[in-house]
Amino acid sequence: MTADNIVISVKGLKKAFGENQVLKGIDIDIKKGEVVVVIGASGSGKSTFLRCLNCLEDPTGGSIYFNGVDIADISVDINIHRQKMGMVFQQFNLFPHMTILKNMTIAPIKLLKLSKTEAEDRALSLLDRVGLKDRAESYPRQLSGGQQQRVAIVRALCMNPTVMLFDEPTSALDPEMVGEVLEVMKNLAKEGMTMVIVTHEMGFAKEVADRVIFIDDGIIAEQNSPKEFFENPQHPRLKEFLAKVL
Amino acid sequence: MSVLKFATWIEEAPNWLLKMPEGVQKFLFQLYQTFIHADRWKLFLNGLKITIIVTIGALILGIIIGLILAIIRTAYESITVGKKPIILRLLNTFTLIYITIIRGTPMMVQLLIMGFVIMVPKSDTATLMCGIITLGINSGAYVSEVVRSGLISIPKSQSEAGRSLGFNFYQTMWYVVLPQAIKNILPALGNEMITLLKDTSLVSVIALRDVTKQAQNVQNLTYNALVPYISLAVIYLVMVMGLQKILSMLEKRLRKSDR
């Protein structure tokens, strides 16, 4: 049903919380290696959209084909598919009772059945790439916000995901720490990782995104290449939004 | 066995004792009568064994039951979209009924019902099991609410992080939520353990000879209540203080990641 290079195909995705219809039918195909940045006003449904992609919020309508399987179908074992979709949260969500190394290795050991040594080797080389190898035995509380978020990114990478989802990864950071996290994400994009990123960092979107989508009132109001998107917006709501944030 | 008389005892007493005031002599006599005469310390020791076995057995059973019940209720409440599975609904109803009945009736009544209506143990071992099971079932109801309060106290974002890595609900509970919850509930759990330890003093109603029962026996043999019962209180106090010590050590270890 999909071309080979399409990783996620979303069809008519709907999500309601009780009476409140947040997503009103979203259609999008995300290609392998593509970096999609999602922007929108708060309350537009952009975070809900991202959280629906790995079913942290169960969709109330439509389908999400990931590697050809409709993961919005509740009879599908979502846990298997989540292993292949790394997720990074606004609040980092590291496990406070585990060391950094344990944070990163617990899922590969328990779910991918890697040996402790294999998992630790993988974790340490990832930590090395984000410059935090010497903090492997620290606890999350002992790290700065930027360091914690870098760990959260490599924790997700430790599962060898095919897609990475970022839910406002820099919104909870002190301004001087935003750069170090965006740098890690840029490198990841360069290496060809498929990424879906909800963010307010317009500069990052311009520089790194292959496609920017604007969600407004539960639908994709506009999508385009970053150049066209920012220089030549069409939708009146997008013009209004960009005028406010740029 | 005839009761040891003070007059007989003092005749054989060593010289240094005779020089003591009469009050001290009487008190030492009572101590002698309670613990040393006819090897009565063995009664206390045997009773202590029963008390400790029942406490440890019921603690373990109570924690297992409490964990299972708490996880059932949390699993039930975690499903907010769509229909909840029928098995989970049945288990949740059972859990609610269980907690209501156990918390709604006195421990003493539960022991009487288990001992004389449901289990009716015939041997010593069976009676011991009956005591452990009854207290464990009782403790489980309270532990489950303590554990549930702990599970609720952990932010939802933690279980989301676990789920996003691909862990299922129960793995997320086990690896991510429960270890953090236990740390938070340790003081409340300690309370429950101390209550359980002291509640074992009720098991004599199903004819278990625990340390309380033995103190009563000694009182019957000596016509002396003061020393056996004060000693009994001291025995419980020391055990509770030991338990507190263990719990605070455990808490320190679990708080390692907070520093």
Side-chain angles (χ1 to χ4, degrees), chain B residues 18-50:
Chain B
L18 296 172
K19 291 180 198 135
M20 296 279 169
E22 204 188 330
V24 176
Q25 288 180 359
K26 283 255 163 68
F27 180 70
L28 287 173
F29 168 68
Q30 291 192 1
L31 268 181
Y32 179 86
Q33 208 187 15
T34 305
F35 289 109
I36 299 171
H37 185 66
D39 280 347
R40 285 190 186 131
W41 57 274
K42 281 186 181 161
L43 293 180
F44 281 96
L45 196 66
N46 289 337
L48 202 55
K49 270 188 212 154
I50 300 282

Side-chain angles (χ1 to χ4, degrees), chain B residues 12-123:
Chain B
E12 292 166 19
N15 251 341
W16 59 267
L17 193 67
L18 296 172
K19 291 180 198 135
M20 296 279 169
E22 204 188 330
V24 176
Q25 288 180 359
K26 283 255 163 68
F27 180 70
L28 287 173
F29 168 68
Q30 291 192 1
L31 268 181
Y32 179 86
Q33 208 187 15
T34 305
F35 289 109
I36 299 171
H37 185 66
D39 280 347
R40 285 190 186 131
W41 57 274
K42 281 186 181 161
L43 293 180
F44 281 96
L45 196 66
N46 289 337
L48 202 55
K49 270 188 212 154
I50 300 282
T51 296
I52 290 172
I53 292 172
V54 172
T55 305
I56 291 176
L59 267 181
I60 294 171
L61 187 61
I63 286 175
I64 294 172
I65 292 176
L67 279 180
I68 295 172
L69 297 188
I71 289 177
I72 290 172
R73 291 199 57 191
T74 313
Y76 179 84
E77 279 158 17
S78 76
I79 300 175
T80 49
V81 175
K83 226 170 141 61
K84 308 187 186 209
I86 179 83
I87 300 171
L88 201 54
R89 289 204 326 254
L90 285 174
L91 283 173
N92 188 58
T93 311
F94 166 79
T95 303
L96 288 174
I97 293 171
Y98 176 100
I99 293 175
T100 308
I101 292 177
I102 297 299
R103 290 203 302 186
T105 55
M107 167 86 94
M108 173 78 100
V109 176
Q110 290 164 19
L111 276 167
L112 291 171
I113 291 175
M114 279 297 261
F116 300 105
V117 183
I118 298 175
M119 287 182 73
V120 200
K122 295 281 187 286
S123 68

Side-chain angles (χ1 to χ4, degrees), chain A residues 51 82 93-94 96-97 110, chain B residues 157-158 160 163 175 180:
Chain A
R51 290 162 58 82
R82 282 198 185 123
N93 298 1
L94 296 179
H97 59 299
K110 302 293 176 191
Chain B
S157 57
Q158 281 291 310
E160 281 180 352
R163 298 304 301 272
Y175 297 124
Q180 299 183 57

